[in-house]
Amino acid sequence: MSDGSTVAKIPLGQGYGLGYDGGNQWVAPVSEGRVVGGETGSADINWETPVEGVGVRPAVTEDQVFVSTVTTSPEGFSLEDPTSMDAEGQLYALDITDGSVLWETSRNGAGAGAPLVQNGLVYWTGTDGDILVYDVETGESTWEFKNDASLPRSPVAASGNIFAGGQDGYLYAIDARSGELVGRSLVGAPISTNPVAVDGVVYVGTDEGSIQAFEYGGGERLWAFEADASVRSLTVSNGLVIAGTAAGYYVLGDGESVESDGDGDTTTRTETDDDESWSGGGEPVAGGDEAAMRQRGLFSNDGDEPDALSNPFNLTTLGFLLSVAGITYQMFQGR
Amino acid sequence: MARGLPAAWSAVLGLPFVAGGLYAVVRSPNVPSEAGLPFIGFGGFVILLGLYIQFVAAPEPPTMRDGEEIVETRNPAQRAAAVKAAVGFVVLSVAGYLLFFTFLPYVYPLVTLVGGLYLFSTGLYAYWTNTLTTYYVTNQRLIKEYRFISLVREELPFEKVRGVEERRSVWETIAGLGNVRVASGGGRTLEVVVRNVYSPTEFADEVRGLV
């Protein structure tokens, strides 16, 4: 366990997001368009790899490092509001021992969230709304989840699903292997934190200061708590939800009351099986309906079908009109 | 006014469609809001048609001739229609759940919806048609009356009757229902088919006794 003492202080420049220290290696993307690495406990930089743009927190396997960068300047980079960056994203797979580039790819939107590595696949979200998935070894695309709403935060994996928070106010659950949309839960405001999945519950925080818990797989909202300011970070440990907001930290427990160390006030977490008790703005933000119509298709949810076939209004209207016509005709005939 | 309570039952059957449609319009995250409109429209159609049938469409009893009097009045049984509508309603509920509360591709809720609508619609129009149909047995004639918008009256004077046929399928036998076909002879046969009546044998014997 760390005793808090400084082992090494390495002059690297400005960093965005955390570096990584695990095994015998440390890795850090820094602002000047490079990723550096070295041995744990040593201030020596063993390798340095130039990358395009500003890198965020890497994902690391035993022998690889995955770094997402946003092709903008350090001044133009904004972790707080990734959607404001009009920039492309790059994803680099580096050899952890020497920093050599194994493969790289790009996307239209900024990948401001850390990539997620799980079961031989790397999942990469971005402000263009897509989840791009690659084989960690070859860099070949495995599947893509197309979405209209921006997904600027890192996804999380649990129970065979990938959870990603959208700017359209929905928490998406996607099958990790197939990329099929399993379900989505209405959060009601742009999600501002990485989702956290623990013991069948996914937690998210929003720009409007709401902290919410959902069942896995697009399930019901279990509870919601209204904080005083935009939620910036979320951690779950030992049955406690710890949220950092622009106004202070909140620790949400299992009981009815919670503590805020911002001003010492005691506030209450609200069970929200009854949505009427939820005050977080229960409506999706603009574009939610449109997104739903495009994502949910007639035969699959991959979004590649013509809109006319993917619009339930057309299909149900046809069914009901036939039914009304049949009833009316038979009634006239008296059969 | 029609027999029974078609307005009330139609409201009971139509209101869930309106409620489901409103749910979709207001807050279902899984479908575009306009997807609820056809449900509201269909629910409104069911409710309004029920009101029309209750208060406007029912036929008046036929005018009797001199010396003629009504011996018996029969109405078609509603049992089969009710079962069909109820099963259809359950299937439609499943379709609504799949459509509004899951994110499965639309083919699943829509196939369920089509099956449910077929059962529900055929059951519902059978219920409404039965409500508007009355069989009168007088001492001179057998009359079938049906009125939805225009009146349909079929009648067969007993002096022309050449045969009374009774038919009951296995299911009708179990349900205590049956059909009685009363027909005249000759080139252009007149006939009145009395459908879905309770105790058809008793009814057929009664007609035979008047022939």
Side-chain angles (χ1 to χ4, degrees):
Chain A
M1 177 180 288
S2 172
D3 60 5
S5 62
T6 301
V7 176
K9 184 177 178 182
I10 309 161
L12 295 172
Q14 191 174 3
Y16 292 87
L18 299 172
Y20 168 81
D21 185 4
N24 297 320
Q25 301 285 332
W26 59 263
V27 178
V30 290
S31 59
E32 294 85 357
R34 60 196 176 113
V35 180
V36 295
E39 290 183 9
T40 301
S42 167
D44 295 335
I45 295 174
N46 287 357
W47 54 261
E48 178 176 325
T49 301
V51 293
E52 188 179 355
V54 179
V56 294
R57 183 178 185 174
V60 179
T61 65
E62 193 175 330
D63 50 8
Q64 286 173 290
V65 183
F66 299 90
V67 179
S68 176
T69 69
V70 181
T71 55
T72 185
S73 65
E75 294 76 26
F77 188 85
S78 172
L79 261 186
E80 192 171 324
D81 185 12
T83 55
S84 67
M85 296 185 289
D86 183 18
E88 294 186 347
Q90 292 282 131
L91 179 66
Y92 295 88
L94 309 178
D95 187 313
I96 199 168
T97 56
D98 60 11
S100 59
V101 177
L102 302 173
W103 55 265
E104 64 177 281
T105 187
S106 63
R107 68 185 307 151
N108 292 326
L116 166 72
V117 178
Q118 177 89 4
N119 296 328
L121 299 175
V122 55
Y123 301 85
W124 190 29
T125 52
T127 55
D128 51 3
D130 299 341
I131 301 178
L132 308 179
V133 183
Y134 302 96
D135 184 286
V136 294
E137 298 296 335
T138 64
E140 287 181 5
S141 175
T142 303
W143 54 259
E144 295 181 358
F145 174 72
K146 298 288 186 184
N147 189 44
D148 287 345
S150 173
L151 303 171
R153 307 295 172 184
S154 297
V156 66
S159 192
N161 291 336
I162 300 296
F163 298 96
Q167 289 292 295
D168 58 350
Y170 285 101
L171 173 65
Y172 292 87
I174 296 123
D175 186 279
R177 279 289 166 196
S178 67
E180 287 285 323
L181 184 64
V182 175
R184 60 179 194 164
S185 301
L186 177 63
V187 178
I191 296 170
S192 57
T193 67
N194 301 338
V196 178
V198 177
D199 295 336
V201 180
V202 188
Y203 305 85
V204 292
T206 75
D207 271 347
E208 296 179 1
S210 180
I211 301 157
Q212 299 183 31
F214 293 89
E215 291 176 346
Y216 277 177
E220 294 287 317
R221 178 168 46 231
L222 301 174
W223 55 260
F225 172 79
E226 300 305 317
D228 293 334
S230 172
V231 185
R232 301 275 175 80
S233 65
L234 207 58
T235 306
V236 179
S237 178
N238 296 323
L240 298 175
V241 179
I242 302 157
T245 75
Y249 275 93
Y250 291 82
V251 181
L252 310 183
D254 292 330
E256 283 296 306
S257 65
V258 299
E259 298 171 5
S260 162
D261 65 359
D263 55 12
D265 288 346
T266 298
T267 46
T268 303
R269 194 188 78 187
T270 309
E271 299 290 345
T272 56
D273 284 343
D274 176 5
D275 280 347
E276 295 301 318
S277 64
W278 182 57
S279 59
E283 294 302 316
V285 296
D289 276 356
E290 205 173 317
M293 193 161 63
R294 279 204 275 274
Q295 287 151 14
R296 194 176 179 188
L298 181 60
F299 296 109
S300 70
N301 290 338
D302 61 11
D304 289 336
E305 294 174 350
D307 279 353
L309 281 180
S310 303
N311 189 340
F313 175 78
N314 298 340
L315 301 166
T316 54
T317 297
L318 182 64
F320 281 118
L321 281 179
L322 284 173
S323 190
V324 168
I327 288 174
T328 309
Y329 175 75
Q330 295 288 356
M331 293 294 292
F332 271 110
Q333 299 295 313
R335 290 172 180 167
Chain B
M1 187 180 287
R3 70 189 174 98
L5 296 168
W9 284 113
S10 299
V12 166
L13 293 170
L15 282 175
F17 286 93
V18 176
L22 285 175
Y23 172 79
V25 168
V26 174
R27 61 173 306 123
S28 174
N30 294 325
V31 291
S33 57
E34 71 265 24
L37 298 178
F39 286 82
I40 295 172
F42 186 72
F45 167 77
V46 171
I47 293 168
L48 290 176
L49 204 52
L51 285 169
Y52 175 79
I53 288 167
Q54 176 86 56
F55 297 108
V56 181
E60 297 296 324
T63 305
M64 295 292 104
R65 299 169 179 165
D66 289 340
E68 184 179 25
E69 59 184 25
I70 294 175
V71 176
E72 185 169 357
T73 304
R74 289 283 187 121
N75 299 107
Q78 299 283 26
R79 195 176 291 175
V83 168
K84 215 171 198 179
V87 171
F89 190 82
V90 170
V91 176
L92 284 172
S93 300
V94 173
Y97 171 79
L98 294 174
L99 187 61
F100 298 144
F101 295 96
T102 75
F103 218 79
L104 288 169
Y106 288 125
V107 65
Y108 298 104
L110 287 173
V111 167
T112 315
L113 183 80
V114 168
L117 265 181
Y118 173 76
L119 288 170
F120 183 76
S121 300
T122 52
L124 193 61
Y125 87 69
Y127 165 69
W128 282 334
T129 305
N130 290 344
T131 300
L132 297 172
T133 301
T134 306
Y135 302 102
Y136 296 96
V137 181
T138 74
N139 54 359
Q140 297 179 17
R141 297 177 289 169
L142 173 61
I143 305 166
K144 174 189 174 184
E145 274 202 349
Y146 171 80
R147 180 185 161 198
F148 175 54
I149 292 176
S150 57
L151 178 67
V152 177
R153 179 175 288 157
E154 297 170 3
E155 64 177 73
L156 189 55
F158 286 132
E159 68 264 21
K160 292 185 178 177
V161 171
R162 293 293 177 269
V164 178
E165 179 184 323
E166 181 188 348
R167 286 196 175 186
R168 307 170 85 169
S169 68
V170 174
W171 295 112
E172 286 168 339
T173 303
I174 293 170
L177 302 174
N179 304 319
V180 177
R181 179 169 167 268
V182 182
S184 67
R188 294 186 64 185
T189 302
L190 291 172
E191 69 172 21
V192 173
V193 181
V194 180
R195 297 181 191 280
N196 284 325
V197 290
Y198 289 112
S199 307
T201 303
E202 181 187 304
F203 183 81
D205 288 344
E206 195 167 4
V207 172
R208 287 186 190 106
L210 291 166
V211 172

